[in-house]
């Protein structure tokens, strides 16, 4: 079937599909995600529409995502950003930088997950559905304790609204296994949202934790006000936590456990952004007494 030089996909095979993907990558200069999206569309077309599974076309090129080094702030840059945050946002920022937790892991902390006395945070169902323990920085223990004292008062106020109020969402099937747990204090959020909502399924009046977008907006504004030109975000505080730990001599396996990485090779990316260089060595040019050679070069 031809129409003005256009061929039907059923008439084409491996060579044409391969050529099209190479054209997207090398001539159109599309990114890896766009090329892989085109490949997925072609796989669906041939398997579900043309009834010619893509396996019959042979191996097809799959673009690789580029490996990018994380953005890391210096200790002074972290201070400049955090000082621009206000109230609850500053406390959350300090917890993110001090514990290495991901933003959602921090915001979804429950009262029972914080052990101020031991200086520990229990991260439940982190990336990969894994639980882990990470450090609670001593600098925030007082402020976090005061926040934990405000949660019971807020919860009591919610419960006084009526028997259908004062609830929070529980993970998995815990709500069926422990019907009253969602209204108990240990399961309340450490960083609750300011508004309640009505769950359409249960009819319960619930309170969610602070939404990620609120902290992300506050962080973006703080970075702008700080004058830092790096593309820093909430996740940058996690990268900075790992890098600064390694700079201070922490064992990479310990950092791996605190971050919740499955493979230590993921953690090793931070060795490439240390202040002392990716290989952890001092350049011989810094030890050879060559500084005098720079005199007058900037004139």
């Amino acid at each position: 079937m031809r129409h003005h030089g256009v061929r039907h996909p059923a008439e084409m095979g491996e060579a044409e599909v391969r050529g099209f993907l190479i054209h997207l990558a090398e001539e159109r200069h599309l990114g890896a995600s766009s090329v892989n999206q085109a490949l997925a569309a072609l796989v669906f077309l041939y398997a579900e529409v043309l009834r010619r599974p893509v396996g019959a076309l042979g191996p097809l090129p799959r673009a690789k995502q580029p490996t990018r080094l994380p953005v890391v702030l210096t200790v002074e840059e972290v201070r400049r950003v955090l000082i621009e945050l206000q109230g609850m946002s500053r406390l959350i920022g300090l917890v993110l930088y001090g514990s290495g937790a991901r933003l959602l892991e921090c915001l979804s902390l429950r009262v029972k997950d914080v052990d101020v006395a031991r200086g520990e945070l229990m991260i439940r169902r982190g990336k990969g559905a894994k639980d882990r323990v990470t450090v609670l920085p001593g600098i925030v223990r007082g402020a976090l304790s005061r926040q934990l004292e405000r949660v019971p008062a807020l919860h009591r106020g919610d419960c006084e609204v009526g028997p259908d109020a004062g609830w929070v969402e529980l993970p998995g099937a815990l709500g069926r296994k422990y019907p009253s747990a969602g209204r108990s204090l240990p399961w309340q959020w450490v960083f609750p949202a300011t508004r309640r909502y009505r769950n359409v399924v249960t009819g319960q009046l619930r309170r969610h934790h602070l939404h990620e977008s609120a902290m992300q907006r506050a962080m973006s504004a703080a970075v702008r006000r700080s004058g830092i030109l790096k593309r820093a975000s909430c996740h940058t505080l996690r990268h900075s936590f790992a890098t600064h730990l390694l700079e201070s001599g922490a064992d990479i396996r310990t950092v791996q456990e605190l971050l919740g990485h499955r493979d230590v090779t993921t953690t090793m990316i931070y060795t490439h952004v240390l202040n002392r260089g990716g290989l952890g060595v001092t350049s011989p040019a810094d030890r050879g007494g060559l500084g005098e050679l720079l005199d007058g070069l900037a004139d």
Side-chain angles (χ1 to χ4, degrees):
M1 179 184 302
R2 294 177 183 272
H3 182 69
H4 298 297
V6 178
R7 298 171 58 192
H8 194 279
E11 299 178 2
M12 293 184 280
E14 175 187 351
E16 289 81 3
V17 173
R18 181 184 299 276
F20 175 68
L21 295 174
I22 293 175
H23 165 75
L24 294 180
E26 298 183 358
E27 298 181 27
R28 297 285 301 278
H29 304 292
L30 296 186
S33 59
S34 297
V35 174
N36 289 334
Q37 185 177 21
L39 173 58
L42 288 169
V43 169
F44 179 84
L45 171 66
Y46 277 88
E48 303 298 329
V49 180
L50 302 179
R51 301 299 177 183
R52 290 176 53 195
V54 74
L57 300 176
L60 297 174
R62 178 175 291 274
K64 293 183 178 180
Q65 294 285 356
T67 301
R68 304 185 188 277
L69 293 179
V71 175
V72 174
L73 301 177
T74 66
V75 175
E76 173 58 22
E77 288 172 336
V78 170
R79 188 194 68 81
R80 286 170 55 186
V81 171
L82 293 180
I83 204 171
E84 294 293 341
L85 293 171
Q86 303 297 324
M88 184 77 70
S89 296
R90 182 183 293 180
L91 176 58
I92 293 171
L94 282 165
V95 173
L96 291 174
Y97 173 60
S99 67
R102 300 175 179 89
L103 177 57
L104 186 57
E105 292 173 343
C106 176
L107 297 182
S108 58
L109 285 170
R110 314 269 185 166
V111 171
K112 65 184 182 61
D113 297 331
V114 181
D115 191 332
V116 176
R118 290 179 58 87
E120 293 179 349
L121 295 178
M122 174 62 75
I123 305 297
R124 306 280 185 181
R125 295 173 177 82
K127 192 173 182 179
K130 296 186 301 181
D131 292 354
R132 74 178 189 280
V133 176
T134 189
V135 60
L136 172 64
I139 193 175
V140 303
R141 293 186 190 182
L144 195 57
S145 295
R146 290 189 291 274
Q147 173 62 21
L148 290 172
E149 292 171 357
R150 287 190 285 266
V151 172
L154 180 65
H155 180 52
R156 284 195 300 272
D158 286 345
C159 292
E160 289 172 358
V161 173
D164 62 339
W167 297 86
V168 294
E169 181 182 1
L170 295 180
L174 283 178
R176 293 192 297 271
K177 188 174 182 179
Y178 305 107
S180 61
R183 208 173 186 239
S184 64
L185 180 59
W187 283 97
Q188 300 302 306
W189 308 109
V190 175
F191 302 110
T194 57
R195 298 180 181 179
R196 298 184 294 254
Y197 71 98
R198 180 78 63 180
N199 183 273
V200 296
V201 176
T202 64
Q204 296 170 343
L205 194 59
R206 295 180 176 180
R207 191 180 292 275
H208 200 50
H209 59 70
L210 187 69
H211 198 270
E212 307 97 283
S213 62
M215 183 60 195
Q216 289 165 344
R217 287 194 299 269
M219 182 68 176
S220 296
V223 172
R224 287 195 302 271
R225 290 193 298 267
S226 72
I228 294 173
L229 300 181
K230 296 177 181 178
R231 295 188 61 185
S233 65
C234 292
H235 207 67
T236 303
L237 296 176
R238 172 176 163 88
H239 295 322
S240 303
F241 164 84
T243 303
H244 297 166
L245 273 183
L246 292 172
E247 286 177 342
S248 65
D251 179 77
I252 194 168
R253 292 286 185 178
T254 301
V255 178
Q256 175 193 358
E257 291 296 324
L258 293 175
L259 293 176
H261 287 161
R262 180 174 299 177
D263 195 327
V264 72
T265 56
T266 306
T267 316
M268 287 179 64
I269 193 172
Y270 297 109
T271 64
H272 295 283
V273 290
L274 296 178
N275 284 339
R276 60 178 182 268
L279 298 178
V281 299
T282 301
S283 170
D286 292 327
R287 295 196 301 261
L290 304 178
E292 60 186 26
L293 299 180
L294 297 175
D295 294 342
L297 287 183
D299 297 339

